[in-house]
Amino acid sequence: MKAQTLLQAASFLPIIAMFMFATSHAQNETPALKEVFKKAFHVGAALNREQISRTEANTIKLVEKQFNSITAENIMKWERIHSEPERYDFAPVDSFVAFGEKNKMFIVGHTLIWHNQTPRWVFEDGAGKPADRETLLQRMKDHIFTVMGRYKGRIHGWDVINEAVEDDGSLRQSKYLQIAGEDYLQKAFEWARAADPQAELYYNDYNMWHKGKRETIIRLVRELQAKGVRVDGIGMQGHWGLDYPPLDELEESILAYAELGVKVMITEMDVNVLPDPGGHTGAEITRNYALRKELDPYTEGVPEAVQAKQAKQYGDFFRVLYNHRDKITRVTFWGVHDGVSWHNNWPVAGRTAHSLLFDRNLQPKPAFDAVIQTVRGD
Ligand code: G3I
């Protein structure tokens, strides 16, 4: 009886072996972005809190296989890392940095100074009135020195300033600007440089291909350079869609930023396939629309034609980026897979987004193949 059972089990062995071979073969066949673009630029992903706390084992495996750079999607924003004047919440960031170090990744700190996700106390005097300029500047300085100081030499690049310019080229009327004045930009870069002289320091924004925005940012960086304040890189966020940005404007912008003598990077890439109720581009976080059925057309999956269009867009963008690999140092995706993309919740909460290279089951999409193809034959 026992021998018969053994015999029966043995007859399954070839099938099991074939299955194992097929699975490992399929896995081996999926190329790794970080290998394919190894000689061109780092390829990164933004990680969310759950991924950082290692609760999504399969996602972590995918990140380790595909990417050689990581950015924290939310845990380093002021309201998370420094929610109260005397309270810093470093534990999740410590895990994030340890994960990056374990995998020898290029680690990005996002973000030091942003008008959004900053607690009210930063801008107030304790009695609900606006803080004065000196108080705000001192808080910025303490924040930058404390956060950067903790990870000195371990976090390689920092989004020092995030989204300080409007699409039309005017400076964003943030509380930083209103209370501290325009030189808060310069001071932030100076303090960041002093806090970790080895780290790369970036200006990061969306719609960086818009002419108005581009001209202002170029002017600001030149003014800083003229004062001896070095900016190491320009982060073009890369929240793009099926019909924008035009490739020539993207290319012109890459060239224009590179002419400043700084590194250029695509820091938050995704290609949204869902309708935008306002017809906007970019990532203005305050936009918010009610969920209607017609705004959420692909809850059961994306039609082939739309997949193909997205793949073409990704391919076209990557061809431009790859052609300019001498100027571009990193391309980071804003999320690992479609299930965690911020587009599931913005600008309409509760939609089913399909913006990234991997689907909800962590499988590579046609867009992934299109990206890989941009290097083949080189
Ligand atoms: O974690 C809480 C959860 O506990 C709570 O129940 C839930 C209820 O609203 O909120 C959760 O936090 C949300 C968080 O994302 C994590 O999902 C916040 O409300 C939500 O505002 C936050 O959105 C983030 C957004 O920045 C604002 O910080 C997105 O995930 C993040 O992708 C997005 O990233 C920005 C970049 O930092 C800058 N560039 C634009 C980009 C897209 O907006």
Side-chain angles (χ1 to χ4, degrees):
M1 187 66 183
K2 209 171 167 190
Q4 199 184 0
T5 316
L6 271 173
L7 215 65
Q8 277 173 350
S11 66
F12 281 109
L13 281 178
I15 300 172
I16 294 169
M18 264 173 62
F19 174 72
M20 282 171 67
F21 174 76
T23 317
S24 71
H25 190 60
Q27 275 170 2
N28 288 340
E29 265 181 3
T30 303
L33 293 163
K34 68 177 182 188
E35 297 301 335
V36 172
F37 291 97
K38 196 172 192 161
K39 292 194 187 138
F41 35 66
H42 281 114
V43 186
L47 303 187
N48 66 24
R49 194 178 182 119
E50 291 69 37
Q51 292 155 357
I52 290 159
S53 57
R54 322 287 304 246
T55 47
E56 287 182 33
N58 289 337
T59 312
I60 291 297
K61 255 196 246 162
L62 182 75
V63 171
E64 289 179 332
K65 174 172 178 184
Q66 291 288 336
F67 302 103
N68 53 16
S69 174
I70 50 170
T71 303
E73 186 177 359
N74 286 307
I75 58 168
M76 300 183 75
K77 291 172 181 171
W78 193 316
E79 71 172 13
R80 298 286 177 101
I81 200 170
H82 188 184
S83 55
E84 293 164 25
E86 303 305 327
R87 177 180 169 175
Y88 283 89
D89 190 6
F90 286 128
V93 186
D94 290 350
S95 307
F96 164 76
V97 173
F99 174 74
E101 287 180 332
K102 181 181 141 231
N103 289 288
K104 302 190 170 37
M105 290 164 158
F106 187 91
I107 306 173
V108 182
H110 174 83
T111 170
L112 292 167
I113 302 296
W114 187 26
H115 67 280
N116 198 42
Q117 314 299 113
T118 306
R120 286 173 56 170
W121 63 262
V122 175
F123 306 110
E124 292 182 350
D125 66 353
K129 298 240 167 60
D132 59 34
R133 171 180 149 90
E134 291 317 316
T135 305
L136 174 58
L137 289 175
Q138 189 59 46
R139 284 179 183 152
M140 287 170 58
K141 183 178 179 185
D142 291 344
H143 178 78
I144 290 173
F145 272 88
T146 307
V147 175
M148 282 187 77
R150 183 173 180 95
Y151 302 105
K152 187 173 177 180
R154 300 176 66 201
I155 289 187
H156 307 103
W158 288 89
D159 293 333
V160 177
I161 300 282
N162 197 41
E163 301 171 8
V165 179
E166 299 280 7
D167 288 351
D168 65 4
S170 60
L171 286 186
R172 184 186 284 273
Q173 286 298 319
S174 68
K175 294 221 166 72
Y176 289 114
L177 182 70
Q178 288 166 349
I179 298 174
E182 191 173 327
D183 65 348
Y184 84 90
L185 298 164
Q186 175 180 341
K187 291 192 178 303
F189 276 101
E190 285 174 337
W191 290 324
R193 181 69 64 204
D196 186 352
Q198 304 305 322
E200 292 185 356
L201 306 183
Y202 314 133
Y203 176 85
N204 189 53
D205 212 329
Y206 59 82
N207 284 346
M208 293 289 275
W209 47 281
H210 276 206
K211 203 157 181 261
K213 197 169 228 179
R214 182 170 82 207
E215 282 170 357
T216 300
I217 289 162
I218 287 174
R219 173 180 65 78
L220 288 173
V221 173
R222 280 203 199 291
E223 283 171 11
L224 290 176
Q225 289 171 332
K227 291 177 188 154
V229 181
R230 196 174 88 225
V231 174
D232 298 298
I234 294 291
M236 304 176 71
Q237 286 186 4
H239 295 298
W240 296 332
L242 290 181
D243 52 8
Y244 65 89
L247 295 180
D248 54 349
E249 290 183 43
L250 170 63
E251 188 162 31
E252 267 168 39
S253 304
I254 292 170
L255 292 170
Y257 294 130
E259 263 177 37
L260 290 166
V262 303
K263 297 175 175 175
V264 181
M265 46 211 85
I266 310 300
T267 53
E268 304 184 13
M269 188 167 187
D270 43 28
V271 175
N272 200 352
V273 301
L274 297 178
D276 189 296
H280 295 267
T281 63
E284 177 52 56
I285 198 78
T286 51
R287 292 178 51 226
N288 181 359
Y289 304 89
L291 178 60
R292 301 194 306 271
K293 204 165 182 309
E294 65 272 22
L295 294 177
D296 193 16
Y298 310 132
T299 51
E300 303 300 325
V302 188
E304 246 173 58
V306 178
Q307 290 264 22
K309 207 168 173 193
Q310 185 188 42
K312 181 167 180 335
Q313 273 297 77
Y314 263 113
D316 286 350
F317 291 143
F318 258 79
R319 249 180 301 282
V320 173
L321 304 180
Y322 189 65
N323 285 343
H324 292 293
R325 58 192 179 279
D326 58 330
K327 306 165 194 75
I328 291 180
T329 56
R330 173 168 57 92
V331 178
T332 291
F333 293 89
W334 205 238
V336 180
H337 63 87
D338 288 341
V340 294
S341 163
W342 71 296
H343 284 151
N344 290 296
N345 287 310
W346 179 95
V348 180
R351 293 200 292 182
T352 305
H354 304 272
S355 312
L356 296 162
L357 299 188
F358 296 94
D359 68 17
R360 290 170 162 68
N361 299 316
L362 308 184
Q363 295 307 305
K365 295 161 50 176
F368 175 87
D369 298 333
V371 164
I372 297 290
Q373 284 309 319
T374 58
V375 191
R376 291 284 151 90
D378 186 55

Coordinates of all heavy atoms in Angstrom, one line a residue, residues 41-47 67 69-71 106 108 236-238 265-270 318 330-335 356:
F41 N 20.4 54.9 -16.5 CA 20.0 55.6 -15.3 C 19.4 54.7 -14.3 O 19.1 53.5 -14.6 CB 19.0 56.7 -15.7 CG 18.0 56.3 -16.8 CD1 17.0 55.3 -16.6 CD2 18.0 57.0 -18.0 CE1 16.1 55.0 -17.6 CE2 17.0 56.7 -19.0 CZ 16.1 55.7 -18.8
H42 N 19.3 55.1 -13.1 CA 18.6 54.3 -12.0 C 17.2 54.3 -12.4 O 16.6 55.2 -12.9 CB 18.7 55.0 -10.7 CG 20.0 54.9 -10.0 ND1 20.9 55.9 -9.7 CD2 20.6 53.8 -9.5 CE1 22.0 55.4 -9.1 NE2 21.8 54.1 -8.9
V43 N 16.5 53.1 -12.0 CA 15.1 53.0 -12.2 C 14.5 52.7 -10.8 O 14.9 51.8 -10.1 CB 14.7 51.9 -13.2 CG1 13.2 51.9 -13.4 CG2 15.4 52.0 -14.5
G44 N 13.6 53.6 -10.4 CA 13.1 53.5 -9.0 C 11.6 53.4 -8.9 O 10.9 53.5 -9.9
A45 N 11.2 53.2 -7.6 CA 9.8 53.1 -7.3 C 9.5 53.8 -6.0 O 10.4 53.8 -5.1 CB 9.3 51.7 -7.3
A46 N 8.4 54.4 -5.9 CA 7.9 55.0 -4.6 C 7.3 53.9 -3.8 O 6.5 53.1 -4.3 CB 7.0 56.1 -4.8
L47 N 7.7 53.8 -2.5 CA 7.1 52.7 -1.6 C 6.2 53.3 -0.6 O 6.4 54.4 -0.1 CB 8.2 52.0 -0.9 CG 9.4 51.4 -1.7 CD1 10.3 50.6 -0.8 CD2 8.8 50.5 -2.8
F67 N 14.0 47.2 -9.3 CA 14.4 48.6 -9.1 C 15.7 48.7 -8.3 O 16.0 47.9 -7.4 CB 13.3 49.3 -8.3 CG 11.9 49.3 -9.0 CD1 10.9 48.5 -8.6 CD2 11.7 50.1 -10.2 CE1 9.7 48.4 -9.3 CE2 10.5 50.1 -10.8 CZ 9.5 49.2 -10.4
S69 N 16.4 51.9 -7.0 CA 16.3 53.2 -6.3 C 14.9 53.2 -5.7 O 13.9 52.6 -6.2 CB 16.4 54.4 -7.3 OG 16.1 55.6 -6.6
I70 N 14.8 53.8 -4.5 CA 13.5 53.9 -3.8 C 13.3 55.3 -3.3 O 14.2 56.0 -2.9 CB 13.3 52.9 -2.7 CG1 14.5 53.0 -1.7 CG2 13.1 51.5 -3.2 CD1 14.3 52.2 -0.4
T71 N 12.0 55.7 -3.3 CA 11.6 57.0 -2.7 C 10.4 56.6 -1.8 O 9.6 55.7 -2.1 CB 11.0 57.9 -3.8 OG1 12.0 58.1 -4.8 CG2 10.6 59.3 -3.3
F106 N 19.8 53.4 -4.6 CA 19.9 54.8 -4.5 C 18.6 55.3 -3.7 O 17.5 55.2 -4.2 CB 20.0 55.5 -5.9 CG 20.3 56.9 -5.9 CD1 21.6 57.4 -5.9 CD2 19.3 57.9 -5.8 CE1 21.9 58.8 -5.8 CE2 19.5 59.2 -5.8 CZ 20.8 59.7 -5.8
V108 N 16.1 58.0 -2.0 CA 15.7 59.4 -2.1 C 14.8 59.9 -1.0 O 13.9 59.1 -0.6 CB 14.9 59.6 -3.5 CG1 14.5 61.1 -3.7 CG2 15.7 59.1 -4.7
M236 N 11.6 66.2 -12.6 CA 10.4 66.4 -13.4 C 9.5 65.2 -12.9 O 9.8 64.1 -13.2 CB 10.7 66.3 -14.9 CG 11.7 67.2 -15.4 SD 12.1 67.0 -17.2 CE 10.6 67.6 -18.0
Q237 N 8.4 65.6 -12.3 CA 7.6 64.5 -11.6 C 7.1 63.4 -12.6 O 7.1 62.3 -12.2 CB 6.4 65.1 -10.9 CG 6.9 65.8 -9.6 CD 5.7 66.3 -8.7 OE1 4.6 66.0 -9.0 NE2 6.1 67.0 -7.6
G238 N 6.6 63.8 -13.8 CA 6.2 62.7 -14.7 C 4.8 62.1 -14.4 O 4.6 61.0 -14.7
M265 N 16.0 64.4 -13.7 CA 15.4 63.1 -13.3 C 13.9 63.1 -13.4 O 13.3 64.2 -13.3 CB 15.9 62.6 -12.0 CG 15.8 63.6 -10.9 SD 17.1 63.3 -9.6 CE 18.5 64.2 -10.4
I266 N 13.3 62.0 -13.8 CA 11.9 61.8 -13.8 C 11.5 61.1 -12.5 O 11.9 60.0 -12.3 CB 11.4 61.0 -15.0 CG1 12.0 61.5 -16.3 CG2 9.9 60.9 -15.1 CD1 11.7 62.9 -16.7
T267 N 10.9 61.9 -11.6 CA 10.8 61.4 -10.2 C 9.5 60.8 -9.8 O 9.5 60.1 -8.7 CB 11.1 62.7 -9.3 OG1 10.1 63.7 -9.7 CG2 12.5 63.2 -9.4
E268 N 8.5 61.0 -10.5 CA 7.2 60.4 -10.1 C 6.4 60.0 -11.3 O 5.3 60.5 -11.6 CB 6.4 61.5 -9.3 CG 7.1 62.0 -8.1 CD 6.3 63.0 -7.3 OE1 5.1 63.1 -7.5 OE2 6.9 63.7 -6.5
M269 N 6.9 59.0 -12.0 CA 6.3 58.7 -13.3 C 5.1 57.8 -13.2 O 5.1 56.8 -12.5 CB 7.3 58.0 -14.2 CG 6.8 57.9 -15.6 SD 8.1 57.4 -16.8 CE 7.3 57.6 -18.3
D270 N 4.0 58.1 -13.9 CA 2.9 57.3 -14.2 C 2.1 57.8 -15.4 O 2.3 59.0 -15.7 CB 2.0 57.1 -12.9 CG 1.7 58.4 -12.2 OD1 1.7 59.5 -12.8 OD2 1.4 58.3 -11.0
F318 N 9.9 56.8 -22.9 CA 11.2 56.1 -22.6 C 12.2 56.3 -23.7 O 13.4 56.4 -23.4 CB 11.0 54.7 -22.2 CG 11.0 54.5 -20.7 CD1 9.9 54.9 -19.9 CD2 12.2 54.1 -20.1 CE1 10.0 54.8 -18.5 CE2 12.3 54.0 -18.7 CZ 11.2 54.4 -17.9
R330 N 17.9 59.3 -13.3 CA 17.0 58.4 -12.6 C 15.6 58.6 -13.2 O 15.2 59.7 -13.5 CB 17.0 58.8 -11.1 CG 16.0 58.0 -10.3 CD 16.2 58.2 -8.8 NE 16.2 59.6 -8.4 CZ 15.1 60.2 -7.9 NH1 14.0 59.6 -7.8 NH2 15.2 61.5 -7.6
V331 N 14.9 57.4 -13.3 CA 13.5 57.5 -13.6 C 12.8 56.7 -12.5 O 13.0 55.5 -12.3 CB 13.2 56.8 -15.0 CG1 11.7 56.8 -15.2 CG2 13.9 57.6 -16.1
T332 N 11.9 57.3 -11.7 CA 11.2 56.7 -10.6 C 9.7 56.6 -10.9 O 9.1 57.7 -11.2 CB 11.5 57.4 -9.3 OG1 12.9 57.3 -8.9 CG2 10.6 56.9 -8.2
F333 N 9.1 55.4 -10.7 CA 7.7 55.3 -10.9 C 7.0 55.6 -9.6 O 7.5 55.2 -8.5 CB 7.4 53.9 -11.3 CG 7.9 53.6 -12.7 CD1 9.2 53.1 -12.9 CD2 7.1 53.9 -13.8 CE1 9.7 52.9 -14.2 CE2 7.6 53.7 -15.1 CZ 8.9 53.2 -15.3
W334 N 5.8 56.3 -9.7 CA 5.1 56.7 -8.5 C 4.2 55.6 -8.0 O 3.0 55.6 -8.1 CB 4.4 58.0 -8.7 CG 4.2 58.8 -7.4 CD1 3.0 59.1 -6.8 CD2 5.2 59.2 -6.5 NE1 3.3 59.8 -5.6 CE2 4.6 59.8 -5.4 CE3 6.6 59.1 -6.5 CZ2 5.3 60.3 -4.3 CZ3 7.3 59.6 -5.4 CH2 6.7 60.2 -4.3
G335 N 4.8 54.5 -7.5 CA 4.1 53.4 -7.0 C 4.7 52.1 -7.7 O 5.4 52.2 -8.7
L356 N 0.5 52.2 -14.0 CA 1.9 51.8 -13.8 C 2.3 50.6 -14.7 O 1.5 50.2 -15.6 CB 2.2 51.5 -12.3 CG 2.0 52.7 -11.4 CD1 1.8 52.3 -10.0 CD2 3.2 53.6 -11.6

